[in-house]
Amino acid sequence: KKIDIFNKLRSSGLRPTKQRVEIARFLFDREKTFHFTVESLDNLLAKKISLKIALATIYNTVHAFKNAGHLAEVEVRGKKTYFDTNVSNHHHFYDSDTSELIDIDANEIIIKKIPKAPNGKKIKNVEVLINLKN
């Protein structure tokens, strides 16, 4: 696992500083998919590790991981930007009561018809976001 973390950092164009290694370990050294905002990650890291990490460092590291393809970005109604450690094609439930994203397997949703992309544009991917409430 250790080599994996360093490769993720290097392939993102980041030097493996103590702070970045801690962020990477927290994000990627886990069994299940992890969804987070930069703010929630900042709060979780502050509770979980003794090392103090500046919000700017967290923000820059997360965006470097996203740009390198290690994280997916999920926008929820233009309000919040979530990041997802699962970069495969899949969909989400969004629970507006708990602000939680929950994975939906791509095979569980069948899309019968989608419109053609406007001239000069290609469809990159199709993501379904299903909003939940109590």
Side-chain angles (χ1 to χ4, degrees):
K1 274 276 193 209
K2 209 170 207 154
I3 296 155
D4 192 24
I5 297 291
F6 285 98
N7 284 343
K8 269 190 176 12
L9 284 162
R10 288 203 184 94
S11 67
S12 306
L14 296 171
R15 277 187 318 111
T17 63
K18 242 185 214 147
Q19 283 93 340
R20 289 172 180 157
V21 169
E22 284 298 331
I23 295 168
R25 198 168 278 146
F26 187 80
L27 291 178
F28 303 113
D29 207 357
R30 54 178 66 238
E31 292 295 305
K32 290 173 85 178
T33 300
F34 181 52
H35 302 105
F36 63 95
T37 63
V38 170
E39 292 74 24
S40 69
L41 180 60
D42 182 41
N43 292 333
L44 287 166
L45 286 169
K47 286 184 194 123
K48 291 265 194 260
I49 62 172
S50 54
L51 192 65
K52 179 74 191 108
I53 303 177
L55 185 59
T57 302
I58 296 171
Y59 180 90
N60 293 334
T61 303
V62 164
H63 282 273
F65 284 147
K66 183 200 78 174
N67 295 336
H70 299 311
L71 292 173
E73 192 171 11
V74 182
E75 243 179 78
V76 179
R77 287 212 193 124
K79 278 197 292 238
K80 272 188 179 160
T81 299
Y82 284 81
F83 294 91
D84 189 343
T85 56
N86 178 355
V87 293
S88 72
N89 250 350
H90 66 286
H91 310 286
H92 293 98
F93 286 115
Y94 177 68
D95 186 334
S96 53
D97 297 313
T98 63
S99 298
E100 183 186 11
L101 275 183
I102 302 147
D103 283 350
I104 302 170
D105 194 282
N107 305 330
E108 288 188 60
I109 290 180
I110 297 163
I111 299 167
K112 270 208 156 127
K113 186 176 186 293
I114 54 172
K116 233 173 56 191
N119 272 346
K121 293 287 179 185
K122 278 194 327 205
I123 293 172
K124 191 174 100 182
N125 69 331
V126 176
E127 284 177 41
V128 175
L129 181 72
I130 300 173
N131 291 295
L132 307 172
K133 64 180 186 142
N134 282 342

